[in-house]
């Protein structure tokens, strides 16, 4: 017990040190990282879907209940997302939503967020939710931003700026829970075995990553997919106290393929692609919740039905009061407390967390 408490205390002291470091505005990485460009799904969406005809939105209370000064913004969390916290550590301002009309002019020089809830690597993923920016559309949206940036700086400066900036891409979850695992809506599981579907995703992902590289970006963080079989939405259909093993098992080929991909992509001149072991990090939290201060791992803080996961967080539903003890905020997404752990592991974790280097090491590469 004393050892577990010591580990827990050490972990939270590290978090406190990092957030004091960020709040004082002395994150030295800010000079090394001029901008953060974020691509992905609802795990990192900051409000793009607010401007789209979509039912996948989080611009209402209690989303943002712990996001001081901001409240509900379109983030699918009780507070900050993983990239919000990573940006704080790096000393980079929150990248604004691409779809926001105010995202124009000098503000875009600090980066832009293109992430869209329900988006996937495949264009058709999540279409039952309505409009969303798929991966391919997000790359096109980045090109739009890049054309605007070209009017704000010279060619030489632009090359250096893009080379120092970091792109974060969080994709893949929806291609499973809102495509492959929905045979009543999507036909992908009829045509592809789990390994073949994973390879299809990696191949599509590769093409878009190379497109971003060819546009000038050089530093990439690519988190893998977490243990989706353990989210409340999936647990709601599983035996009590069990994750859905089949769902977790079929993710292995994708995560392994993405990790192998970074080795291939890092052969390109000046490139540094980093794989984030989301599955391992979240799995560690789920297997050892007490070490990180969590006591509820199997249900959402805000939701309806079994495991508070059959229906996700609805407007003005009263969430749990002890949110820092919950791993999951709603039926699909982690709490801010988990996002903080994932951001810290991405920043200074070991090779088990980030391969081949972590984000802090990536900032030192010129």
């Amino acid at each position: 017990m004393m050892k577990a408490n010591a580990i827990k205390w050490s972990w939270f002291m590290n978090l406190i040190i990092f957030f004091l470091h960020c709040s004082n505005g002395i994150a030295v990485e800010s000079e090394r990282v001029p901008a953060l460009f974020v691509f992905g799904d609802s795990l990192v969406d900051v409000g793009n879907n607010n401007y789209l005809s979509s039912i996948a939105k989080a611009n209402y209370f209690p989303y943002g209940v712990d996001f001081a000064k901001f409240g509900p913004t379109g983030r699918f969390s009780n507070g900050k997302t993983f990239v919000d916290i990573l940006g704080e550590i790096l000393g980079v301002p929150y990248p604004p939503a691409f779809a926001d009309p105010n995202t124009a002019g000098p503000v875009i020089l600090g980066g832009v967020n293109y992430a869209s809830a329900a988006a996937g690597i495949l264009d058709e993923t999540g279409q039952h939710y309505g409009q969303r920016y798929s991966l391919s559309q997000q790359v096109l949206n980045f090109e739009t931003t890049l054309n605007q940036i070209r009017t704000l700086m010279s060619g030489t400066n632009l090359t250096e700026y893009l080379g120092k900036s970091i792109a974060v891409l969080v994709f893949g979850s929806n291609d499973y829970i809102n495509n492959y695992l929905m045979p009543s809506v999507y036909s992908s599981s009829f045509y592809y075995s789990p390994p073949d579907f994973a390879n299809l995703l990696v191949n599509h992902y590769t093409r878009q990553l190379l497109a971003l590289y060819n546009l000038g970006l050089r530093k990439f963080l690519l988190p893998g997919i977490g243990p989706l079989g353990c989210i409340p939405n999936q647990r709601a259909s599983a035996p009590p106290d069990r994750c859905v093993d089949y769902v977790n098992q079929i993710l292995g080929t994708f995560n392994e393929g993405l990790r192998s991909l970074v080795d291939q992509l890092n052969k390109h001149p000046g490139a540094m692609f980093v794989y984030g072991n989301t599955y391992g990090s979240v799995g560690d939290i789920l297997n050892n919740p007490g070490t990180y201060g969590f006591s509820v791992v199997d249900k959402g803080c805000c939701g309806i039905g079994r495991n508070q996961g059959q229906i996700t967080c609805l407007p003005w539903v009263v969430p749990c009061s002890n949110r820092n003890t919950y791993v999951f905020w709603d039926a699909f997404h982690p709490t801010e407390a988990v996002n903080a752990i994932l951001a810290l592991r991405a920043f200074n974790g070991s090779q088990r967390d980030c391969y081949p280097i972590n984000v802090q090491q990536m900032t030192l590469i010129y």
Side-chain angles (χ1 to χ4, degrees), residues 34-35 93 96 102-112 148-149 151-153 161:
N102 295 315
T103 303
V107 69
I108 66 176
L109 294 177
V112 174
Q148 296 174 19
I149 293 175
T151 68
L152 300 173
M153 64 175 64
Y161 162 85

Side-chain angles (χ1 to χ4, degrees), residues 19-354:
F19 287 122
L20 285 174
H21 172 75
C22 298
S23 64
N24 288 334
I26 57 173
V28 295
E29 284 76 17
S30 60
E31 296 180 3
R32 303 177 189 142
V33 184
L36 203 57
F37 293 101
V38 182
F39 308 79
D41 53 31
S42 57
L43 291 169
V44 288
D45 187 353
V46 296
N48 279 301
N49 276 31
N50 296 349
Y51 302 92
L52 301 178
S53 179
S54 169
I55 60 173
K57 295 185 180 183
N59 56 345
Y60 54 83
F61 183 86
Y63 286 99
V65 63
D66 297 313
F67 198 16
K69 300 180 183 179
F70 293 96
T73 58
R75 288 167 168 82
F76 287 75
S77 173
N78 60 303
K80 300 169 187 173
T81 70
F82 154 78
V83 288
D84 289 330
I85 298 168
L86 182 61
E88 288 180 345
I89 296 172
L90 292 169
V92 179
Y94 299 147
F98 169 82
D100 186 336
N102 295 315
T103 303
V107 69
I108 66 176
L109 294 177
V112 174
N113 185 308
Y114 308 92
S116 177
I121 294 170
L122 303 179
D123 288 344
E124 63 270 22
T125 289
Q127 62 187 3
H128 61 287
Y129 282 104
Q131 288 183 323
R132 68 258 172 254
Y133 294 143
S134 66
L135 168 59
S136 61
Q137 183 60 53
Q138 290 182 39
V139 173
L140 293 175
N141 291 346
F142 173 72
E143 288 192 64
T144 299
T145 300
L146 192 55
N147 288 333
Q148 296 174 19
I149 293 175
R150 288 192 180 102
T151 68
L152 300 173
M153 64 175 64
S154 67
T156 302
N157 291 338
L158 177 61
T159 300
E160 181 181 355
Y161 162 85
L162 292 174
K164 290 183 177 180
S165 298
I166 294 178
V168 181
L169 291 93
V170 182
F171 283 100
S173 296
N174 283 320
D175 293 290
Y176 284 94
I177 58 176
N178 286 310
N179 186 330
Y180 195 75
L181 295 172
M182 294 186 73
S184 63
V185 180
Y186 299 91
S187 60
S188 53
S189 61
F190 300 121
Y191 294 105
Y192 298 97
S193 67
D196 287 342
F197 185 70
N199 290 330
L200 174 74
L201 295 180
V202 172
N203 288 337
H204 277 258
Y205 210 173
T206 302
R207 286 198 290 272
Q208 299 303 330
L209 289 169
L210 288 174
L212 291 172
Y213 172 85
N214 290 330
L215 289 169
L217 291 171
R218 291 294 179 266
K219 297 179 179 179
F220 298 81
L221 173 62
L222 310 177
I225 303 175
L228 295 178
C230 297
I231 64 176
N233 170 262
Q234 294 294 309
R235 278 185 183 257
S237 62
D241 302 319
R242 290 291 301 272
C243 297
V244 182
D245 293 336
Y246 167 74
V247 173
N248 287 338
Q249 289 165 3
I250 66 174
L251 304 176
T253 306
F254 176 83
N255 284 332
E256 291 163 10
L258 189 58
R259 190 180 188 276
S260 298
L261 178 63
V262 302
D263 285 328
Q264 300 174 37
L265 295 176
N266 283 337
K267 295 176 183 178
H268 288 76
M272 178 45 66
F273 287 82
V274 171
Y275 168 72
N277 183 16
T278 309
Y279 193 100
S281 296
V282 175
D284 187 30
I285 294 170
L286 293 173
N287 290 328
N288 306 286
T291 301
Y292 300 96
F294 299 110
S295 57
V296 185
V297 303
D298 60 345
K299 62 183 65 174
C301 172
C302 183
I304 297 173
R306 187 179 171 195
N307 297 87
Q308 279 71 56
Q310 289 177 295
I311 299 175
T312 198
C313 196
L314 296 175
W316 297 100
V317 168
V318 178
C320 66
S321 58
N322 51 339
R323 292 179 283 278
N324 286 336
T325 66
Y326 275 67
V327 171
F328 295 101
W329 160 245
D330 62 12
F332 302 95
H333 307 95
T335 56
E336 180 186 271
V338 170
N339 285 332
I341 295 170
L342 297 179
L344 186 56
R345 284 196 167 190
F347 181 72
N348 70 348
S350 69
Q351 279 201 336
R352 290 192 303 273
D353 302 312
C354 283

